[in-house]
């Protein structure tokens, strides 16, 4: 454990101020530790993270040192072996949680300067005795894929599997995620929450006989003593929404499970629910969940409105609601972006409103929204359905060329369709050759 000498050294260097909120949290730390029985190791880990982020106040360590509660909490002697074990678990938990946390914890070996000179302090949670030299903790080997796990010379644990599965899921290598899962089962390693979350994400495109749907994964988590978090439920909803005809029923089952477990949806979950409404053609539910967000004091952001407008754009009957949402977000100072207008243009195309497309394109220019390929492709597709709008289609195409925006397959397909609708067959052949 850190001695009073170490604390004094730390006190001398925290000269930068921080926000009042962080100060308040650390002032309450001793009482919280007394009530919850938190060990010093966990507190020092928190101290190290705050130090790295330069978000510590010089008066806080002194207040903590003067606290009798803190002295009592730290006064209990523990062997260096026990402390080392606790330290390893703390570091490994932080490492499994997120790469940013890992880097911050492993960067906790830092040089600090006081008025006399330079003091090198190791805030590595190793529990060395006073007077002993602190040794930097060895960095865990990075496991990024199945091959690195199979070639490991040491025994790999759930944190190693978690690192590989999270990396693979992030890069949408879902087939390999399932292969790592199979290796875990083969080696009889108990998966943690992050492993399950990677499987939930991977199940969006690949299902197995073991887990035919996302509900079976959530149930397996609970059977294994792992509590799903908001990320788990969000990944489950996103995967369920891509499951076809039964998708909406699965989403409803997930929401019921969240309610049973007293998990309040956050903005990310609501955004996924709204997107799922569009996938399942549950257009009326879109407006319901937007209202529920506000009732639960979750403020919709631009992604929320984009998801809602995109969901409604598939139905011509929902055009009035699309207009309402666009007005609402402007009234609430939520600035529409290129994806907002792309969804609006798609709605115009579905509703056969070609002239409104031109109005919104002018609005994009006047509002200084940076147009992108998605927006221009939506405009071409919406205008191209009307033969009289072919000159405007070509205007949009030339604008793309001027802004050096490369068309993709969808853009070329819309241009060729537009040429066909307007009877410009030679131009259609020209665009087909350009694709090649």
């Amino acid at each position: 454990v850190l001695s009073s000498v170490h604390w004094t050294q730390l006190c001398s260097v925290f000269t930068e101020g921080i926000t009042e909120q962080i100060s308040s949290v650390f002032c309450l730390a001793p009482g919280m530790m007394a009530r919850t029985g938190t060990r010093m190791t966990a507190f020092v880990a928190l101290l190290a993270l705050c130090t790295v982020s330069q978000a510590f106040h010089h008066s806080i360590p002194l207040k903590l040192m003067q606290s009798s509660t803190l002295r009592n909490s730290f006064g209990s002697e523990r062997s260096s072996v026990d402390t080392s074990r606790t330290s390893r678990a703390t570091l490994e938990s932080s490492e499994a949680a997120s790469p940013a946390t890992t880097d911050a914890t492993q960067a906790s070996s830092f040089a600090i300067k006081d008025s006399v000179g330079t003091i090198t302090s190791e805030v590595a949670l190793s529990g060395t005795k006073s007077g002993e030299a602190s040794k930097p903790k060895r960095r865990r080997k990075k496991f990024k894929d199945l091959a690195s796990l199979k070639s490991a010379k040491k025994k790999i644990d759930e944190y190693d599997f978690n690192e590989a599965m999270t990396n693979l899921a992030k890069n949408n290598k879902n087939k390999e995620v399932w292969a790592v899962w199979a290796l875990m089962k083969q080696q009889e390693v108990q998966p943690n929450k992050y492993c399950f979350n990677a499987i939930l994400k991977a199940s969006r495109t690949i299902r197995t006989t073991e887990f035919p749907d996302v509900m079976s994964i959530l149930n397996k988590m609970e059977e294994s003593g792992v509590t799903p978090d908001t990320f788990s439920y969000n990944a489950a909803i996103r995967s369920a929404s891509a499951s076809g005809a039964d998708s909406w029923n699965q989403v409803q089952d997930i929401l019921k499970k969240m309610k049973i477990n007293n998990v309040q949806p956050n903005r990310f979950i609501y955004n996924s629910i709204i997107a799922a409404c569009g996938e399942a053609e549950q257009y009326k539910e879109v407006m319901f969940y937007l209202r529920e967000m506000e009732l639960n004091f979750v403020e919709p952001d631009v992604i929320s409105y984009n998801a809602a407008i995109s969901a409604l754009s598939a139905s011509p009957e929902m055009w009035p609601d699309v207009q309402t949402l666009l007005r609402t977000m402007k009234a609430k100072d939520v600035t529409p972006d290129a994806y907002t207008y792309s969804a609006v243009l798609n709605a115009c195309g579905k509703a056969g409103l070609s002239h409104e497309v031109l109005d919104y394109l002018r609005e994009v220019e006047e509002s200084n929204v940076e147009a992108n390929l998605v927006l221009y492709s939506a405009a071409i597709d919406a205008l191209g359905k009307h033969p009289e709008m072919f000159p405007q289609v070509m205007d949009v195409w030339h604008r793309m060329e001027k802004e050096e925006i490369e068309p993709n397959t969808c853009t070329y397909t819309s241009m060729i369709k537009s040429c066909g609708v307007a009877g410009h067959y030679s131009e259609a052949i020209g665009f087909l050759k350009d694709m090649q």
Side-chain angles (χ1 to χ4, degrees):
V1 298
L2 292 184
S3 66
S4 58
V5 176
H6 293 118
W7 280 103
T8 304
Q9 290 173 349
L10 290 173
C11 291
S12 65
V13 298
F14 295 123
T15 56
E16 298 296 328
I18 60 167
T19 60
E20 182 179 348
Q21 289 86 346
I22 295 179
S23 297
S24 301
V25 168
F26 275 87
C27 287
L28 290 173
M32 292 170 65
M33 292 171 69
R35 288 195 299 273
T36 62
T38 304
R39 292 292 184 180
M40 182 180 179
T41 304
F43 180 75
V44 176
L46 188 57
L47 168 67
L49 295 178
C50 292
T51 304
V52 172
S53 63
Q54 295 182 350
F56 212 89
H57 194 278
H58 70 281
S59 64
I60 303 304
L62 185 57
K63 291 178 182 178
L64 291 174
M65 282 299 299
Q66 292 171 345
S67 168
S68 60
T69 306
L70 187 62
R71 286 198 300 271
N72 292 337
S73 297
F74 290 173
S76 59
E77 287 288 331
R78 297 189 66 193
S79 69
S80 60
V81 175
D82 288 342
T83 309
S84 178
R85 288 175 180 171
T86 307
S87 303
R88 180 179 182 275
T90 305
L91 285 173
E92 291 177 345
S93 299
S94 301
E95 186 173 20
S98 71
T101 306
T102 304
D103 293 340
T105 307
Q106 293 172 342
S108 60
S109 174
F110 57 94
I112 54 178
K113 290 185 177 180
D114 60 4
S115 57
V116 178
T118 302
I119 304 172
T120 301
S121 176
E122 287 285 345
V123 192
L125 313 180
S126 56
T128 55
K129 295 181 180 179
S130 178
E132 293 181 352
S134 297
K135 295 182 179 179
K137 187 166 182 69
R138 293 185 64 182
R139 189 179 182 87
R140 287 174 64 89
K141 183 179 178 180
K142 294 284 186 181
F143 292 96
K144 296 183 178 181
D145 51 28
L146 182 63
S148 62
L149 289 170
K150 286 185 174 180
S151 63
K153 296 180 181 179
K154 71 176 187 69
K155 182 176 175 60
I156 49 180
D157 57 22
E158 70 269 25
Y159 300 111
D160 300 323
F161 280 105
N162 157 54
E163 187 170 24
M165 292 176 72
T166 301
N167 178 68
L168 292 168
K170 183 179 179 181
N171 293 289
N172 294 317
K173 297 181 178 179
N174 297 328
K175 197 170 183 179
E176 204 166 340
V177 171
W178 284 108
V180 174
W181 176 267
L183 182 62
M184 283 188 75
K185 290 186 64 180
Q186 180 183 333
Q187 298 192 8
E188 298 181 348
V189 176
Q190 177 66 27
N192 59 23
K193 176 174 60 179
Y194 305 102
C195 297
F196 276 111
N197 287 348
I199 285 294
L200 283 166
K201 188 175 185 296
S203 66
R204 183 173 176 83
T205 57
I206 299 175
R207 301 289 168 85
T208 65
T209 53
E210 181 184 6
F211 297 124
D213 53 45
V214 292
M215 283 300 295
S216 60
I217 302 176
L218 291 173
N219 292 335
K220 180 66 175 179
M221 287 182 74
E222 294 177 343
E223 291 170 8
S224 303
V226 179
T227 304
D229 58 9
T230 53
F231 185 92
S232 310
Y233 287 115
N234 187 41
I237 291 169
R238 289 172 61 84
S239 294
S241 66
S243 60
D246 193 43
S247 63
W248 186 243
N249 290 332
Q250 288 190 47
V251 171
Q252 291 294 302
D253 290 340
I254 295 168
L255 295 178
K256 289 175 184 175
K257 181 178 280 290
M258 288 180 63
K259 191 172 183 180
I260 292 171
N261 294 333
N262 295 318
V263 177
Q264 176 64 36
N266 57 20
R267 184 183 290 113
F268 300 104
I269 290 177
Y270 274 118
N271 291 349
S272 296
I273 295 171
I274 291 169
C277 292
E279 295 280 351
E281 300 181 356
Q282 300 290 326
Y283 305 120
K284 297 295 183 182
E285 299 295 321
V286 171
M287 303 303 288
F288 169 81
Y289 283 108
L290 276 175
R291 286 192 294 269
E292 185 180 291
M293 285 182 75
E294 296 181 346
L295 290 174
N296 289 333
F297 303 102
V298 180
E299 196 66 30
D301 60 4
V302 65
I303 298 175
S304 310
Y305 286 109
N306 288 356
I309 293 172
S310 181
L312 297 176
S313 66
S315 173
E317 291 78 16
M318 302 307 293
W319 170 246
D321 290 312
V322 170
Q323 291 178 300
T324 300
L325 288 177
L326 188 59
R327 287 194 299 267
T328 300
M329 64 186 298
K330 291 177 181 177
K332 293 189 174 183
D333 293 326
V334 179
T335 305
D337 60 15
Y339 297 100
T340 312
Y341 285 107
S342 300
V344 172
L345 294 178
N346 283 331
C348 291
K350 293 288 184 180
L353 304 170
S354 58
H355 290 286
E356 279 77 357
V357 173
L358 299 177
D359 292 338
Y360 284 114
L361 283 175
R362 280 192 292 269
E363 186 175 316
V364 167
E365 290 184 11
E366 293 169 0
S367 58
N368 294 321
V369 173
E370 185 175 352
N372 58 17
L373 176 61
V374 178
L375 188 147
Y376 284 134
S377 297
I380 290 171
D381 184 68
L383 292 170
K385 296 174 181 178
H386 306 274
E388 71 277 10
M389 288 294 175
F390 186 75
Q392 285 75 21
V393 171
M394 292 304 300
D395 287 342
V396 175
W397 179 263
H398 293 317
R399 191 184 302 179
M400 286 181 60
E401 290 181 326
K402 183 179 179 181
E403 297 177 13
E404 298 182 348
I405 296 176
E406 286 290 328
N408 60 13
T409 303
C410 294
T411 316
Y412 274 115
T413 302
S414 296
M415 285 299 300
I416 293 169
K417 284 182 179 179
S418 176
C419 292
V421 169
H424 296 281
Y425 304 114
S426 58
E427 284 86 344
I429 294 173
F431 282 115
L432 185 61
K433 289 181 178 179
D434 286 345
M435 288 182 68
Q436 300 172 348

